[in-house]
Amino acid sequence: MIILSTLNAKYIHASLGLRYLYANLAELQNQARICEYTINTRPIDIVEKLLEQTPEIIGFGVYIWNCQETLEVIALIKRIAPQITIVLGGPEISYETEQQSLFEHADFVITGAADKSFYQLCKDILTENRPTKKILNSKPLQLKELTLPYQLYNDEDLKQRVMYIEASRGCPFKCEFCLSALDKTSYPFELERFLNEMETLYQRGARHFKFVDRTFNLKIKTTLQILDFFLERMSNDLFLHFEVIPDHLPNKLKEKLTLFPEGSLQFEVGIQTFNEQVQTNISRKQNNQKSKDNLIWLKDNTNAHIHADLIFGLPGETLQTFSDSFDQLYACRPHEIQMGILKRLRGSPIIRHTEIFDLRFSPIPPYSILSTNTVDFTTMQRINRFARYWDMIANSGRFSKSLPFLLGENPFDHFLKLTDWLFKTTEQTHKINLKRLYELVSQACEELFPEVHLALVEAMEADYLRSKLKGSFKRLELSKKEVVEKETQMKHSMRQQRHL
């Protein structure tokens, strides 16, 4: 028995990597099984479920989000059933391999794309021809050699989970914070073959397609053909998610995008920074003005939901330069701004800047940046909180009417002040009740920006009604002054009663 396993971040994430491995196991498929779990499942429970199947080989996909939990699982397996062969693969274990605790508990590690090399290793193990080396480097392969995995999404996957698909692999760009910087270029799958697979998925009921291509709009002719395929099958429940290059939207593509109805498209747009020196530091090529123009065009002329990314902590970035990038991006009016904190992905070229920019990363996954020579730890913590509150208040859409009054003409500066006030008041970044959040935001505005407080409260009432929360908006404690007055009156009343 061969088990292919990984620990997904959430149940809705269906592992495309495991399905590729299974699809390319050839004659070994009838001995193999995919077993997916989540990082929230206790390792001991995962081990029990795996061992009851008496496998001979277990292959684990290791990623930055599951490496610690995977370590616990394989350590337990090796303690209970050391005869089982443990094979590790995936981006997290493919680099700095021998330095990791995972390596100690593994029998073999396959680095790089293991679509074919995992099959060969399993075949060698089962025929008692085990390799002498523990680390096996995958050979480059042609995409046409691969058996595509999409038929392995079962009916439950189609109904309840996200369908991850890829029309290409690799990336031609060299942004140093990303593992794709190691790729030489982008390689497309043969288009007719790919679209036939999409047709089969669609006919089986798939309606949510998330493309994992790093550069979906790199080759416009291919992009247009894929979009035409889905336009011909447009329905009320069809949803497509793409990652796009912000400065590459030729007119033919723009014309096509205007044809998609509301709720059918989401674009993830990586901006990361608008600062040209920081872009140079990380080898990122981006036409900033064209990127901003395209973001505004997308917002004004299409129904696409725009999710734009920034990264804080890049080499050479300061609080001020990041503030400038944030304000420029906010002016483009994307639906969401994802505030990412730089992470040290094993193998990514960003580590070449470690000494020059004094990059200090957490030793604990996901290896977030703690400080640089231009951003101290305290500031980094403030921006981490900023990112969390921005998700709760801005990206959630629950404050769409009142948010402009909070941000005024200086969005980053104003929201950072709000961030500091919220954390000083609550010492919380999670588990804040929505009604309480409306109260806190109003009270913060009253103290920080009193000149707009009345207008904010009026706008907030519309936000509150749209949220469909139970209870009257008028009963919320929207004024800190009124709260203090009530508390004072209550204390005074209690003192009076004690004297009666």
mmCIF file of all heavy atoms in Angstrom, residues 312-319 341-342 353-361 368-380:
data_model
loop_
_atom_site.group_PDB
_atom_site.id
_atom_site.type_symbol
_atom_site.label_atom_id
_atom_site.label_comp_id
_atom_site.label_asym_id
_atom_site.label_seq_id
_atom_site.Cartn_x
_atom_site.Cartn_y
_atom_site.Cartn_z
ATOM 1 N N PHE A 312 5.189 43.989 3.181
ATOM 2 C CA PHE A 312 5.961 44.851 4.073
ATOM 3 C C PHE A 312 7.195 44.100 4.559
ATOM 4 O O PHE A 312 7.132 42.910 4.853
ATOM 5 C CB PHE A 312 5.128 45.281 5.279
ATOM 6 C CG PHE A 312 5.817 46.299 6.157
ATOM 7 C CD1 PHE A 312 6.019 47.586 5.692
ATOM 8 C CD2 PHE A 312 6.282 45.978 7.422
ATOM 9 C CE1 PHE A 312 6.657 48.536 6.476
ATOM 10 C CE2 PHE A 312 6.917 46.904 8.215
ATOM 11 C CZ PHE A 312 7.106 48.196 7.739
ATOM 12 N N GLY A 313 8.321 44.823 4.638
ATOM 13 C CA GLY A 313 9.560 44.234 5.136
ATOM 14 C C GLY A 313 10.564 43.892 4.050
ATOM 15 O O GLY A 313 11.591 43.269 4.338
ATOM 16 N N LEU A 314 10.291 44.292 2.811
ATOM 17 C CA LEU A 314 11.231 44.026 1.728
ATOM 18 C C LEU A 314 12.533 44.793 1.946
ATOM 19 O O LEU A 314 12.536 45.848 2.589
ATOM 20 C CB LEU A 314 10.613 44.424 0.384
ATOM 21 C CG LEU A 314 9.422 43.577 -0.079
ATOM 22 C CD1 LEU A 314 8.728 44.238 -1.261
ATOM 23 C CD2 LEU A 314 9.873 42.168 -0.446
ATOM 24 N N PRO A 315 13.651 44.310 1.421
ATOM 25 C CA PRO A 315 14.951 44.978 1.618
ATOM 26 C C PRO A 315 14.936 46.425 1.145
ATOM 27 O O PRO A 315 14.614 46.710 -0.006
ATOM 28 C CB PRO A 315 15.907 44.132 0.769
ATOM 29 C CG PRO A 315 15.261 42.797 0.673
ATOM 30 C CD PRO A 315 13.785 43.067 0.655
ATOM 31 N N GLY A 316 15.251 47.327 2.054
ATOM 32 C CA GLY A 316 15.294 48.751 1.728
ATOM 33 C C GLY A 316 13.991 49.480 1.978
ATOM 34 O O GLY A 316 13.953 50.716 1.928
ATOM 35 N N GLU A 317 12.912 48.756 2.233
ATOM 36 C CA GLU A 317 11.612 49.393 2.495
ATOM 37 C C GLU A 317 11.619 50.045 3.872
ATOM 38 O O GLU A 317 12.137 49.480 4.838
ATOM 39 C CB GLU A 317 10.508 48.353 2.438
ATOM 40 C CG GLU A 317 9.087 48.930 2.368
ATOM 41 C CD GLU A 317 8.672 49.299 0.965
ATOM 42 O OE1 GLU A 317 8.178 48.422 0.243
ATOM 43 O OE2 GLU A 317 8.852 50.478 0.592
ATOM 44 N N THR A 318 11.058 51.228 3.964
ATOM 45 C CA THR A 318 10.884 51.913 5.241
ATOM 46 C C THR A 318 9.392 52.083 5.497
ATOM 47 O O THR A 318 8.562 51.826 4.610
ATOM 48 C CB THR A 318 11.556 53.293 5.236
ATOM 49 O OG1 THR A 318 10.846 54.147 4.304
ATOM 50 C CG2 THR A 318 13.026 53.200 4.815
ATOM 51 N N LEU A 319 9.060 52.532 6.684
ATOM 52 C CA LEU A 319 7.653 52.792 6.979
ATOM 53 C C LEU A 319 7.106 53.855 6.034
ATOM 54 O O LEU A 319 5.975 53.744 5.543
ATOM 55 C CB LEU A 319 7.484 53.235 8.436
ATOM 56 C CG LEU A 319 6.034 53.408 8.904
ATOM 57 C CD1 LEU A 319 5.294 52.081 8.889
ATOM 58 C CD2 LEU A 319 5.994 54.012 10.314
ATOM 59 N N ILE A 341 3.295 40.164 5.044
ATOM 60 C CA ILE A 341 4.572 40.408 5.715
ATOM 61 C C ILE A 341 5.605 39.487 5.059
ATOM 62 O O ILE A 341 5.336 38.302 4.840
ATOM 63 C CB ILE A 341 4.482 40.120 7.226
ATOM 64 C CG1 ILE A 341 3.352 40.954 7.859
ATOM 65 C CG2 ILE A 341 5.815 40.418 7.911
ATOM 66 C CD1 ILE A 341 3.526 42.450 7.774
ATOM 67 N N LEU A 342 6.757 40.020 4.717
ATOM 68 C CA LEU A 342 7.785 39.231 4.043
ATOM 69 C C LEU A 342 8.090 37.950 4.816
ATOM 70 O O LEU A 342 8.258 37.979 6.037
ATOM 71 C CB LEU A 342 9.068 40.062 3.892
ATOM 72 C CG LEU A 342 10.248 39.345 3.234
ATOM 73 C CD1 LEU A 342 9.923 38.995 1.776
ATOM 74 C CD2 LEU A 342 11.506 40.200 3.320
ATOM 75 N N HIS A 353 20.248 39.127 0.604
ATOM 76 C CA HIS A 353 20.240 40.467 1.198
ATOM 77 C C HIS A 353 20.370 40.436 2.721
ATOM 78 O O HIS A 353 20.332 41.497 3.359
ATOM 79 C CB HIS A 353 18.923 41.177 0.848
ATOM 80 C CG HIS A 353 18.727 41.427 -0.609
ATOM 81 N ND1 HIS A 353 19.547 42.264 -1.342
ATOM 82 C CD2 HIS A 353 17.797 40.940 -1.477
ATOM 83 C CE1 HIS A 353 19.117 42.294 -2.599
ATOM 84 N NE2 HIS A 353 18.075 41.501 -2.710
ATOM 85 N N THR A 354 20.489 39.265 3.300
ATOM 86 C CA THR A 354 20.409 39.119 4.750
ATOM 87 C C THR A 354 21.384 40.020 5.486
ATOM 88 O O THR A 354 21.003 40.741 6.425
ATOM 89 C CB THR A 354 20.640 37.649 5.162
ATOM 90 O OG1 THR A 354 19.626 36.838 4.551
ATOM 91 C CG2 THR A 354 20.561 37.497 6.668
ATOM 92 N N GLU A 355 22.624 40.021 5.103
ATOM 93 C CA GLU A 355 23.631 40.815 5.820
ATOM 94 C C GLU A 355 23.533 42.288 5.491
ATOM 95 O O GLU A 355 23.576 43.139 6.385
ATOM 96 C CB GLU A 355 25.031 40.284 5.496
ATOM 97 C CG GLU A 355 25.307 38.902 6.069
ATOM 98 C CD GLU A 355 26.749 38.478 5.874
ATOM 99 O OE1 GLU A 355 27.592 39.346 5.498
ATOM 100 O OE2 GLU A 355 27.052 37.296 6.080
ATOM 101 N N ILE A 356 23.408 42.620 4.216
ATOM 102 C CA ILE A 356 23.400 44.030 3.804
ATOM 103 C C ILE A 356 22.247 44.795 4.451
ATOM 104 O O ILE A 356 22.419 45.920 4.925
ATOM 105 C CB ILE A 356 23.304 44.135 2.265
ATOM 106 C CG1 ILE A 356 24.530 43.501 1.619
ATOM 107 C CG2 ILE A 356 23.176 45.594 1.835
ATOM 108 C CD1 ILE A 356 24.459 43.418 0.106
ATOM 109 N N PHE A 357 21.063 44.164 4.491
ATOM 110 C CA PHE A 357 19.879 44.837 5.031
ATOM 111 C C PHE A 357 19.504 44.323 6.421
ATOM 112 O O PHE A 357 18.436 44.669 6.934
ATOM 113 C CB PHE A 357 18.698 44.682 4.068
ATOM 114 C CG PHE A 357 18.876 45.426 2.773
ATOM 115 C CD1 PHE A 357 19.360 44.773 1.643
ATOM 116 C CD2 PHE A 357 18.593 46.777 2.681
ATOM 117 C CE1 PHE A 357 19.540 45.449 0.448
ATOM 118 C CE2 PHE A 357 18.762 47.470 1.491
ATOM 119 C CZ PHE A 357 19.244 46.804 0.367
ATOM 120 N N ASP A 358 20.376 43.529 7.021
ATOM 121 C CA ASP A 358 20.162 43.007 8.370
ATOM 122 C C ASP A 358 18.768 42.396 8.507
ATOM 123 O O ASP A 358 18.010 42.714 9.427
ATOM 124 C CB ASP A 358 20.362 44.123 9.406
ATOM 125 C CG ASP A 358 20.468 43.572 10.838
ATOM 126 O OD1 ASP A 358 20.765 42.367 10.979
ATOM 127 O OD2 ASP A 358 20.241 44.335 11.781
ATOM 128 N N LEU A 359 18.455 41.487 7.573
ATOM 129 C CA LEU A 359 17.144 40.834 7.592
ATOM 130 C C LEU A 359 17.128 39.785 8.699
ATOM 131 O O LEU A 359 17.948 38.872 8.716
ATOM 132 C CB LEU A 359 16.853 40.162 6.249
ATOM 133 C CG LEU A 359 16.925 41.041 5.003
ATOM 134 C CD1 LEU A 359 16.582 40.221 3.760
ATOM 135 C CD2 LEU A 359 16.002 42.246 5.118
ATOM 136 N N ARG A 360 16.184 39.909 9.613
ATOM 137 C CA ARG A 360 16.064 38.962 10.712
ATOM 138 C C ARG A 360 14.688 38.302 10.654
ATOM 139 O O ARG A 360 13.671 38.942 10.903
ATOM 140 C CB ARG A 360 16.271 39.657 12.055
ATOM 141 C CG ARG A 360 17.626 40.354 12.129
ATOM 142 C CD ARG A 360 17.953 40.843 13.512
ATOM 143 N NE ARG A 360 19.205 41.591 13.517
ATOM 144 C CZ ARG A 360 19.870 41.942 14.603
ATOM 145 N NH1 ARG A 360 19.377 41.616 15.799
ATOM 146 N NH2 ARG A 360 20.995 42.635 14.521
ATOM 147 N N PHE A 361 14.703 37.015 10.312
ATOM 148 C CA PHE A 361 13.469 36.267 10.152
ATOM 149 C C PHE A 361 13.208 35.403 11.376
ATOM 150 O O PHE A 361 14.138 34.936 12.034
ATOM 151 C CB PHE A 361 13.542 35.364 8.917
ATOM 152 C CG PHE A 361 13.596 36.095 7.611
ATOM 153 C CD1 PHE A 361 14.810 36.407 7.019
ATOM 154 C CD2 PHE A 361 12.434 36.468 6.966
ATOM 155 C CE1 PHE A 361 14.870 37.076 5.804
ATOM 156 C CE2 PHE A 361 12.474 37.138 5.753
ATOM 157 C CZ PHE A 361 13.695 37.442 5.173
ATOM 158 N N SER A 368 8.352 34.651 9.249
ATOM 159 C CA SER A 368 8.071 36.057 8.932
ATOM 160 C C SER A 368 9.235 36.943 9.353
ATOM 161 O O SER A 368 9.948 36.654 10.315
ATOM 162 C CB SER A 368 6.794 36.507 9.656
ATOM 163 O OG SER A 368 5.689 35.756 9.222
ATOM 164 N N ILE A 369 9.396 38.038 8.640
ATOM 165 C CA ILE A 369 10.448 39.001 8.957
ATOM 166 C C ILE A 369 10.143 39.657 10.301
ATOM 167 O O ILE A 369 8.995 40.013 10.586
ATOM 168 C CB ILE A 369 10.583 40.062 7.830
ATOM 169 C CG1 ILE A 369 11.831 40.911 7.999
ATOM 170 C CG2 ILE A 369 9.348 40.926 7.722
ATOM 171 C CD1 ILE A 369 13.100 40.233 7.612
ATOM 172 N N LEU A 370 11.157 39.785 11.133
ATOM 173 C CA LEU A 370 11.010 40.403 12.455
ATOM 174 C C LEU A 370 11.538 41.834 12.482
ATOM 175 O O LEU A 370 10.996 42.684 13.181
ATOM 176 C CB LEU A 370 11.743 39.567 13.510
ATOM 177 C CG LEU A 370 11.259 38.129 13.689
ATOM 178 C CD1 LEU A 370 12.167 37.376 14.666
ATOM 179 C CD2 LEU A 370 9.820 38.109 14.194
ATOM 180 N N SER A 371 12.604 42.076 11.740
ATOM 181 C CA SER A 371 13.159 43.434 11.659
ATOM 182 C C SER A 371 14.151 43.485 10.515
ATOM 183 O O SER A 371 14.635 42.453 10.033
ATOM 184 C CB SER A 371 13.853 43.834 12.973
ATOM 185 O OG SER A 371 15.018 43.041 13.204
ATOM 186 N N THR A 372 14.436 44.716 10.069
ATOM 187 C CA THR A 372 15.466 44.960 9.059
ATOM 188 C C THR A 372 16.278 46.168 9.514
ATOM 189 O O THR A 372 16.020 46.744 10.584
ATOM 190 C CB THR A 372 14.849 45.255 7.675
ATOM 191 O OG1 THR A 372 14.234 46.563 7.706
ATOM 192 C CG2 THR A 372 13.785 44.229 7.308
ATOM 193 N N ASN A 373 17.225 46.576 8.699
ATOM 194 C CA ASN A 373 18.023 47.746 9.086
ATOM 195 C C ASN A 373 17.237 49.048 8.939
ATOM 196 O O ASN A 373 17.691 50.105 9.387
ATOM 197 C CB ASN A 373 19.320 47.824 8.272
ATOM 198 C CG ASN A 373 19.072 48.088 6.788
ATOM 199 O OD1 ASN A 373 18.002 47.786 6.256
ATOM 200 N ND2 ASN A 373 20.064 48.644 6.111
ATOM 201 N N THR A 374 16.054 48.985 8.338
ATOM 202 C CA THR A 374 15.233 50.187 8.184
ATOM 203 C C THR A 374 13.893 50.095 8.915
ATOM 204 O O THR A 374 13.162 51.087 8.979
ATOM 205 C CB THR A 374 14.953 50.465 6.689
ATOM 206 O OG1 THR A 374 14.423 49.285 6.077
ATOM 207 C CG2 THR A 374 16.228 50.888 5.964
ATOM 208 N N VAL A 375 13.567 48.914 9.441
ATOM 209 C CA VAL A 375 12.301 48.727 10.171
ATOM 210 C C VAL A 375 12.591 47.933 11.438
ATOM 211 O O VAL A 375 13.020 46.776 11.359
ATOM 212 C CB VAL A 375 11.256 47.969 9.319
ATOM 213 C CG1 VAL A 375 9.968 47.776 10.119
ATOM 214 C CG2 VAL A 375 10.980 48.715 8.023
ATOM 215 N N ASP A 376 12.355 48.542 12.602
ATOM 216 C CA ASP A 376 12.631 47.821 13.845
ATOM 217 C C ASP A 376 11.473 46.881 14.201
ATOM 218 O O ASP A 376 10.418 46.891 13.574
ATOM 219 C CB ASP A 376 12.940 48.789 14.995
ATOM 220 C CG ASP A 376 11.785 49.728 15.320
ATOM 221 O OD1 ASP A 376 10.619 49.402 14.992
ATOM 222 O OD2 ASP A 376 12.037 50.803 15.901
ATOM 223 N N PHE A 377 11.696 46.050 15.209
ATOM 224 C CA PHE A 377 10.729 45.021 15.589
ATOM 225 C C PHE A 377 9.395 45.636 16.011
ATOM 226 O O PHE A 377 8.323 45.131 15.660
ATOM 227 C CB PHE A 377 11.300 44.170 16.728
ATOM 228 C CG PHE A 377 10.334 43.165 17.273
ATOM 229 C CD1 PHE A 377 9.913 42.087 16.509
ATOM 230 C CD2 PHE A 377 9.819 43.300 18.563
ATOM 231 C CE1 PHE A 377 9.011 41.155 17.010
ATOM 232 C CE2 PHE A 377 8.919 42.368 19.071
ATOM 233 C CZ PHE A 377 8.517 41.292 18.291
ATOM 234 N N THR A 378 9.450 46.730 16.764
ATOM 235 C CA THR A 378 8.206 47.377 17.226
ATOM 236 C C THR A 378 7.356 47.830 16.047
ATOM 237 O O THR A 378 6.130 47.630 16.027
ATOM 238 C CB THR A 378 8.536 48.569 18.132
ATOM 239 O OG1 THR A 378 9.267 48.110 19.268
ATOM 240 C CG2 THR A 378 7.264 49.264 18.599
ATOM 241 N N THR A 379 7.991 48.430 15.040
ATOM 242 C CA THR A 379 7.265 48.870 13.851
ATOM 243 C C THR A 379 6.699 47.680 13.091
ATOM 244 O O THR A 379 5.568 47.715 12.597
ATOM 245 C CB THR A 379 8.191 49.691 12.937
ATOM 246 O OG1 THR A 379 8.713 50.803 13.663
ATOM 247 C CG2 THR A 379 7.445 50.191 11.708
ATOM 248 N N MET A 380 7.472 46.615 13.031
ATOM 249 C CA MET A 380 6.997 45.415 12.339
ATOM 250 C C MET A 380 5.739 44.871 13.017
ATOM 251 O O MET A 380 4.792 44.443 12.350
ATOM 252 C CB MET A 380 8.096 44.353 12.330
ATOM 253 C CG MET A 380 7.922 43.297 11.259
ATOM 254 S SD MET A 380 8.182 43.923 9.570
ATOM 255 C CE MET A 380 9.954 44.189 9.564
#
